[in-house]
Amino acid sequence: MSNPVYAPNATTLFNSAVNGFEGFAAGSVASGRVDLSASTDVLLAVTVPAGALSGTNPAITVQLDGIDPAGNTIPAMVKTAAITAAGTYTVSGGLHSSGLVLPATGQLTVTMTGAGAAAVGIEISVTGR
């Protein structure tokens, strides 16, 4: 974990391609830890290329969960609506956008629904400042 010093410039805190968090099947999966300690606000961006979703009625939801100092999950601090089509989807959260004080650590949780649902080539990023 980095030294918690406020950084006024935006920086990428998580990128799914770099972190090997790219292919998803029906169900939920959580990423590794994301260092939020130098951020007061975050932007969660999900890019779904054409043809990335397959199965019957596939939908993907991505959320940034917090992790408190005792290791407990604070679910869905920042969460997308159900994504069912190609496009780029963003949602922000934090002190200035929603009055949310971010914990020092978080994780991403991706939930896929739909019969035989799968997603490949999805890009997820978290930018903080």
Side-chain angles (χ1 to χ4, degrees):
M1 192 176 305
S2 69
N3 186 12
V5 175
Y6 174 69
N9 299 317
T11 185
T12 300
L13 305 175
F14 180 90
N15 180 286
S16 58
V18 172
N19 294 90
F21 195 65
E22 300 176 276
F24 308 100
S28 292
V29 63
S31 72
R33 301 293 169 108
V34 178
D35 183 359
L36 304 173
S37 63
S39 301
T40 56
D41 297 285
V42 292
L43 175 70
L44 171 61
V46 180
T47 301
V48 179
L53 300 176
S54 62
T56 304
N57 299 319
I60 188 168
T61 304
V62 181
Q63 65 189 46
L64 176 64
D65 304 321
I67 307 293
D68 73 13
N72 300 308
T73 302
I74 305 163
M77 294 186 318
V78 178
K79 182 178 180 178
T80 67
I83 298 169
T84 60
T88 299
Y89 303 85
T90 60
V91 62
S92 61
L95 188 61
H96 299 97
S97 61
S98 61
L100 172 69
V101 176
L102 298 172
T105 307
Q107 70 182 18
L108 289 159
T109 300
V110 174
T111 304
M112 282 286 316
T113 59
V120 290
I122 305 290
E123 183 177 334
I124 302 168
S125 66
V126 177
T127 304
R129 72 165 185 94

